[in-house]
């Protein structure tokens, strides 16, 4: 059976955009929501059945998670974009090699990251905000998470590939299965077997291994246009370069997020301790861990929209169907704005509704974390309705291979706006100043993203008009 006899996602270039985006985005939205719940499942069980120090210790592991996400996104997003473009160009041989190189890169990078992080684990945890009270929880959790890094990287990377090759529903099924498995294993390990934070870590890795097995199963089918086969795993410098160039933007975004979370954690500890509240630093760090997890739930839904948009935009950009590209972008921006507006309303009107889920409510420390997280939630979401469009535009530039613009957007929000805000505002507003830096950087980055998009649209429209004039 040759490539043309197999299933090719040509619907990306022919079906109505609204129907197509719904078909690809809805499974991705469900999958990303489930993925966000995967992170919050651990927070729920740890806060409820281990204690407030454990949830603060989990907060100290967040930069590690951002770092792992940085490398995972670099390969996963880059490979997914390259795959979509090659399928749009009907270059099936290269698309097949992209799959093999994705697996090889994930194995190499995950082993290197795990080795380096394990070597400097305790110093890094203290740098990321752990204290003598919380490192006893953060250390064992990260030992297991880092040990399962090769599973995590390949689970995330292959999920992106499966979605780009025309299987968004199966991609969703893998993620939902992983989340349900994680919740069940958390219940078994943390609640029933009383294994504490170690059980939560094992639940996460085992659940991801189950999802990875499902992904390998579908990619092993020879009837699929893109499938596992001999000879595709040998590293191709050309393919790797394309993956890394496109994936550099999400890598920098998540790597900068690692730096930002580090600074936020340090700010929470410093100004929380200065507030005069007993263990105020640990309480503030726990509060940020809760708020970040809840807000991320809404942002992950937007990422689901982005993932549904990515193969459509990549295919049609490769096929030079620009009208379909712009229409897809408009649909995605509208959907993302609706989602982030919902997050804004929840955060401003009833923040206790969600933050109270992560408190056992029995101790004074738990009550203090709950009070801090409720106030922090209201500040964090002040300009959240604008953030959805910024995220879509950044992903749009990734999808069409314009890495430079996407990289600038990533760096501008994190380094040019957020880091200075974190360093300056707390001198005037104390602990609240750390929180205020987040919406301020969001507002400034939205302005930059729309400016870059306007310049691109004007350039492409001018080029299309000149091309039409030549044909006449």
């Amino acid at each position: 059976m040759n490539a043309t006899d197999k299933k090719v996602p040509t619907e990306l270039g022919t079906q109505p955009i609204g129907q197509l985006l719904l078909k690809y985005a809805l499974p991705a939205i469900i999958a990303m929501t489930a993925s966000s719940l995967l992170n919050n499942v651990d927070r729920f069980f740890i806060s409820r059945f281990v204690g407030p120090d454990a949830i603060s210790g989990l907060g100290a592991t967040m930069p590690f998670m951002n770092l792992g996400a940085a490398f995972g996104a670099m390969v996963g997003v880059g490979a997914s974009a390259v795959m979509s473009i090659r399928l749009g160009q009907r270059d099936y041989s290269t698309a097949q090699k992209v799959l093999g190189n994705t697996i090889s890169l994930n194995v190499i990078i995950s082993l290197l990251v795990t080795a380096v992080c394990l070597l400097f684990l305790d110093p890094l945890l203290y740098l990321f905000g752990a204290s003598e009270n919380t490192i006893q929880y953060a250390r064992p959790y990260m030992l297991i998470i880092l040990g399962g890094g090769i599973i995590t990287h390949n689970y995330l990377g292959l999920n992106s590939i499966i979605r780009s090759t025309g299987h968004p529903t199966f991609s969703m099924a893998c993620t939902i299965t992983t989340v349900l498995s994680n919740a069940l294993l958390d219940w078994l390990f943390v609640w029933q077997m009383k294994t504490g934070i170690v059980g939560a870590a094992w639940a996460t890795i085992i659940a991801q291994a189950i999802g990875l097995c499902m992904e390998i199963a579908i990619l092993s089918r020879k009837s699929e246009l893109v499938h596992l086969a001999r000879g595709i795993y040998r590293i191709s410098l050309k393919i790797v370069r394309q993956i890394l160039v496109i994936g550099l933007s999400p890598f920098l975004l998540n790597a900068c997020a690692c730096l930002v979370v580090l600074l936020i954690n340090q700010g929470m500890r410093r100004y929380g301790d200065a507030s005069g509240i007993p263990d105020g630093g640990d309480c503030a760090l726990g509060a940020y861990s809760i708020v970040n997890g809840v807000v991320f739930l809404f942002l992950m839904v937007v990422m689901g929209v982005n993932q549904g948009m990515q193969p459509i935009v990549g295919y049609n950009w490769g096929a030079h169907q620009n009208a379909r590209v712009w229409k897809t972008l408009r649909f995605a921006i509208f959907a993302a704005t609706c989602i982030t507006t919902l997050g804004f309303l929840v955060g401003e009107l009833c923040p206790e509704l969600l933050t109270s889920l992560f408190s056992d409510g029995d101790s004074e420390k738990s009550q203090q974390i709950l009070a801090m997280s409720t106030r922090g939630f209201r500040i964090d979401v002040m300009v959240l309705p604008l953030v959805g469009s910024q995220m879509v535009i950044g992903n749009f530039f990734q999808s069409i291979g314009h890495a430079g613009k996407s990289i600038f957007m990533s760096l501008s929000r994190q380094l040019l706006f957020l880091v200075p805000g974190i360093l300056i505002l707390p001198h005037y507003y104390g602990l609240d100043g750390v929180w205020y830096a987040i919406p301020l950087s969001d507002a400034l980055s939205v302005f930059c993203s729309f400016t870059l998009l306007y310049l691109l649209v004007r350039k492409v429209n001018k080029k299309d008009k000149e091309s039409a004039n030549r044909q006449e």
Side-chain angles (χ1 to χ4, degrees):
M1 181 181 291
N2 56 44
T4 57
D5 295 326
K6 300 178 182 179
K7 182 182 177 182
V8 184
T10 52
E11 61 182 17
L12 295 171
T14 57
Q15 286 191 5
I17 293 297
Q19 175 184 336
L20 197 58
L21 186 60
L22 182 63
K23 176 180 178 180
Y24 274 74
L26 186 58
I29 288 171
I30 296 173
M32 295 304 289
T33 303
S35 180
S36 181
L37 290 174
L38 174 64
N39 298 324
N40 283 299
V41 161
D42 280 349
R43 286 187 178 90
F44 173 80
F45 278 95
I46 289 170
S47 63
R48 289 280 179 169
F49 303 107
V50 185
D53 282 336
I55 197 66
S56 297
L58 190 64
T61 70
M62 287 166 55
F64 277 110
M65 300 304 186
N66 289 122
L67 185 62
F71 286 101
M74 179 172 63
V75 178
V77 173
S80 180
V82 173
M83 178 72 74
S84 295
I85 293 171
R86 292 295 170 262
L87 290 174
Q89 296 171 340
R90 300 184 182 275
D91 185 357
Y92 307 125
S93 175
T94 301
Q96 184 84 342
K97 293 177 182 177
V98 170
L99 170 61
N101 277 246
T102 300
I103 295 173
S104 298
L105 273 177
N106 276 324
V107 170
I108 294 170
I109 291 175
S110 63
L111 291 176
L112 289 175
V113 171
T114 297
V116 172
C117 289
L118 288 176
L119 187 61
F120 302 102
L121 183 57
D122 275 18
L124 287 173
L125 284 172
Y126 281 117
L127 179 65
F128 294 160
S131 66
E132 292 298 330
N133 294 331
T134 60
I135 196 169
Q136 61 182 313
Y137 298 101
R139 183 193 299 115
Y141 184 83
M142 283 312 304
L143 284 173
I144 296 169
I145 294 297
L146 289 170
I150 193 169
I151 295 174
T152 302
H153 281 247
N154 277 291
Y155 161 71
L156 295 174
L158 292 184
N159 198 274
S160 297
I161 290 292
I162 288 172
R163 189 169 47 252
S164 293
T165 54
H167 295 288
T169 303
F170 188 84
S171 173
M172 174 191 71
C174 290
T175 304
I176 292 177
T177 300
T178 301
V179 173
L180 293 178
S181 299
N182 192 89
L184 178 62
L185 292 171
D186 267 329
W187 171 82
L188 177 63
F189 293 159
V190 181
W191 188 6
Q192 297 297 317
M193 297 176 64
K194 310 297 182 186
T195 55
I197 200 167
V198 170
W202 275 116
T204 298
I205 295 301
I206 293 173
Q208 290 176 345
I210 293 171
L212 178 60
C213 289
M214 292 177 63
E215 294 165 354
I216 292 174
I218 191 172
L219 290 172
S220 297
R221 298 176 184 171
K222 289 186 168 62
S223 59
E224 294 295 326
L225 177 64
V226 178
H227 62 274
L228 301 176
R230 291 182 180 179
I232 66 172
Y233 308 102
R234 183 179 302 168
I235 292 293
S236 165
L237 294 181
K238 181 179 179 181
I239 292 175
V240 167
R241 184 166 54 250
Q242 292 172 341
I243 291 174
L244 297 185
V245 166
I246 296 176
L248 186 59
S249 173
F251 171 79
L252 291 175
L253 177 63
N254 286 279
C256 288
C258 177
L259 171 63
V260 167
V261 172
L262 185 156
L263 293 175
I264 291 177
N265 283 359
Q266 290 182 342
M268 292 291 174
R269 286 200 55 79
R270 177 181 176 183
Y271 292 98
D273 287 335
S275 66
I277 299 171
D279 292 325
D282 286 344
C283 290
L285 185 59
Y288 176 64
S289 174
I290 292 171
V291 171
N292 185 67
V294 174
V295 172
F296 201 59
L297 174 63
F298 293 97
L299 299 185
M300 288 289 273
V301 179
V302 176
M303 291 181 191
V305 174
N306 285 342
Q307 290 186 0
M309 175 190 74
Q310 185 272 321
I312 305 171
V313 167
Y315 185 99
N316 286 285
W317 187 265
H320 302 290
Q321 300 188 80
N322 292 336
R324 292 176 62 82
V325 171
W326 304 133
K327 190 171 183 179
T328 304
L329 178 62
R330 289 194 298 270
F331 269 96
I333 288 176
F334 174 77
T337 301
C338 291
I339 293 162
T340 50
T341 299
L342 176 61
F344 165 78
L345 294 174
V346 171
E348 294 295 342
L349 300 179
C350 50
E352 301 92 345
L353 181 66
L354 293 179
T355 56
S356 61
L357 294 175
F358 303 93
S359 173
D360 57 22
D362 295 332
S363 65
E364 181 179 348
K365 197 168 187 177
S366 293
Q367 289 298 318
Q368 189 57 53
I369 291 176
L370 179 60
M372 285 183 171
S373 59
T374 298
R375 176 166 178 77
F377 201 172
R378 285 196 168 100
I379 297 173
D380 195 295
V381 301
M382 288 173 62
V383 298
L384 193 61
L386 304 177
V387 174
S389 58
Q390 191 268 348
M391 293 176 63
V392 168
I393 294 170
N395 183 267
F396 170 77
F397 284 125
Q398 293 172 19
S399 301
I400 63 175
H402 284 212
K405 295 182 179 65
S406 190
I407 290 170
F408 173 77
M409 288 177 58
S410 301
L411 293 179
S412 64
R413 180 187 182 276
Q414 305 282 8
L415 297 183
L416 297 182
F417 305 139
L418 187 52
V419 169
I422 295 170
L423 297 177
I424 296 172
L425 293 180
H427 290 290
Y428 300 96
Y429 302 102
L431 184 59
D432 281 351
V434 183
W435 292 104
Y436 283 133
I438 298 172
L440 176 62
S441 65
D442 287 337
L444 293 173
S445 63
V446 168
F447 173 78
C448 287
S449 65
F450 273 100
T451 300
L452 289 174
L453 179 62
Y454 169 75
L455 294 174
L456 175 68
V457 171
R458 189 173 68 172
K459 179 180 178 180
V460 172
N461 287 344
K462 181 180 178 181
K463 185 177 179 181
D464 288 346
K465 185 176 180 180
E466 291 175 349
S467 177
N469 290 334
R470 283 195 301 267
Q471 291 178 357
E472 291 177 359

